[in-house]
Amino acid sequence: MVGKMIVAVVAVAAAVGGIGLVVSGSSDEAVVTRIVDGDTFEATLDGRSTTVRLLNIDTPETIDPDSAVQCLGPEAAARLAALIPVGSTVGLSYDDERVDGRGRTLAGVHDTAGRLVNAELAREGLGTAIVVGGNDRHLDEVTEAQEEARAAGRGLYSTTVSCTVPAQVERARGTVAGLAQRASSPDPAQLDAAGRETDDALTVLAGLDADVRAHRAGVAWAVLSELDRARLTGILDTARSDARTLQARFAQQASDAREAQRLAAEQAERDRVAREEAARAEAAEQTARAAAAAAPAPVAPAAAPAGGGCDPNYTPCVPVSATDLDCGDLSGGPFRVVGTDRHRLDADSDGIGCESQG
């Protein structure tokens, strides 16, 4: 049976129903009935239902109707449920103010192993140490646990949990580092695309830098110390500088690549024209050779028939020939046309053929 205990400032161990609880100062025991979120649960205390808010820790929101679910909020609620399952008995230790303005019981919560649950959540990087009013009884223990999480890179300090601020910064830095690998491309279209992605990366980096410097609301930002912020802004500044360098490099390389493509295209056109001209010259030469090979061999003038046969149309004698003769085929001359100029030797029709041979 759950009973109320009023004890001195020293720590005592109470055994209730076989469960060992370590509490100090003004303390109670309660039975968990429902987990609300990472730092709030409902319990039965002295036979009545109450809502318990863990002292000196704030975990990411999951149920605020005016706020989106925050980074690792569901994980914090799940971890609280694992530490103090529904039906388990917990010890509650109080500070100066036992109830907040919303009627919730403010307490340090000890699980069945005697661990301070407030600190365990901080140790896993699932919340940040806070003080509300003068309630600081568990602040040192929660703060120490939070420092363990920071040093180990757990929870909200992790660079591998996508929603955390360190992970967002690391992802943006990695994007810029990955873009640097694109600088070796000879394709101007790919270089243009890399330039646009660099523009996008610069926008993300600028937004992150502004958020880190501005102390944005939310536990994911509240866990960051000034040293954390300085380190993260240093990473972001370096990444932004690298991105601006890449931006100029991509633009210059794209311009150079386009100029190289233009020169290559012009040279290719010159080579094409030269090849076509060479092909036309070769074709013409082949045509000439073919024409020469196909030309008929010259026909020798027919010899004068035996017995001195002469064409009766010319004098002196032009041999009788079955083929056409011209002056080059005849020796002697000139020749007088005395009949029909069947060989057309008299070019000027003056009755004398082959006059130049006289």
Side-chain angles (χ1 to χ4, degrees), residues 1-6 27-31 43-50 92 94 98:
M1 174 178 181
V2 177
K4 183 174 181 180
M5 301 182 296
I6 304 297
S27 305
D28 278 326
E29 290 181 355
V31 175
T44 300
L45 175 63
D46 288 340
R48 60 182 177 81
S49 178
T50 187
L92 305 181
Y94 307 115
R98 293 184 55 162

Side-chain angles (χ1 to χ4, degrees), residues 144-165:
E144 182 179 345
Q146 182 177 346
E147 289 304 316
E148 287 184 32
R150 175 181 282 110
R154 298 189 196 112
L156 291 166
Y157 297 104
S158 172
T159 59
T160 59
V161 177
S162 63
C163 64
T164 68
V165 178

Side-chain angles (χ1 to χ4, degrees), residues 73 279 313 343:
N313 294 295
H343 294 299

